[in-house]
């Protein structure tokens, strides 16, 4: 699982916090602040905004969709 991220991004922080609470391991890929420099995230998502999560063949580019996907795909046993 890869998370395209900016540390100062509140939406990215929501996803990172959820992943930490769930104990999920992932590769964090920090992208530049400048949108034109975000070539790597554009190549995988067709856009320059973050967060973007890539999990196998699944690509999500909205923090709420990412969090819903994680909770449905990786349920935490209580």
């Amino acid at each position: 699982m890869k998370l395209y991220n900016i540390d100062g991004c509140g939406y990215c922080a929501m996803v990172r916090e959820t992943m930490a609470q769930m104990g999920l391991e992932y590769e964090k890929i920090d992208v530049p602040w400048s949108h034109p420099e975000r070539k790597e995230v554009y190549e995988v998502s067709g856009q320059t905004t973050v967060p973007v999560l890539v999990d196998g063949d699944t690509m999500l580019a909205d923090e709420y969709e990412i969090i819903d996907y994680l909770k449905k795909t990786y349920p935490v046993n209580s």
Side-chain angles (χ1 to χ4, degrees), residues 19 38 47 55 58 63 65 74:
M19 294 177 89
R38 298 180 186 176
Q47 64 183 34
D55 186 17
T58 301
E63 60 278 3
E65 289 177 8
Y74 302 98

Side-chain angles (χ1 to χ4, degrees), residues 38-67:
R38 298 180 186 176
K39 292 175 177 41
E40 188 175 3
V41 72
Y42 184 81
E43 288 173 9
V44 298
S45 68
Q47 64 183 34
T48 59
T49 57
V50 289
V52 170
L53 180 79
V54 177
D55 186 17
D57 292 334
T58 301
M59 187 283 300
L60 297 163
D62 174 85
E63 60 278 3
Y64 296 105
E65 289 177 8
I66 292 170
I67 291 168

Side-chain angles (χ1 to χ4, degrees), residues 3-24 26 28 30 51 66-67 70:
L3 177 66
Y4 293 84
N5 168 81
I6 291 177
D7 283 341
C9 165
Y11 301 114
C12 298
M14 288 170 48
V15 174
R16 290 194 318 268
E17 180 66 26
T18 299
M19 294 177 89
Q21 289 173 351
M22 295 177 70
L24 297 174
Y26 63 97
K28 184 174 72 139
D30 292 315
I66 292 170
I67 291 168
L70 293 172

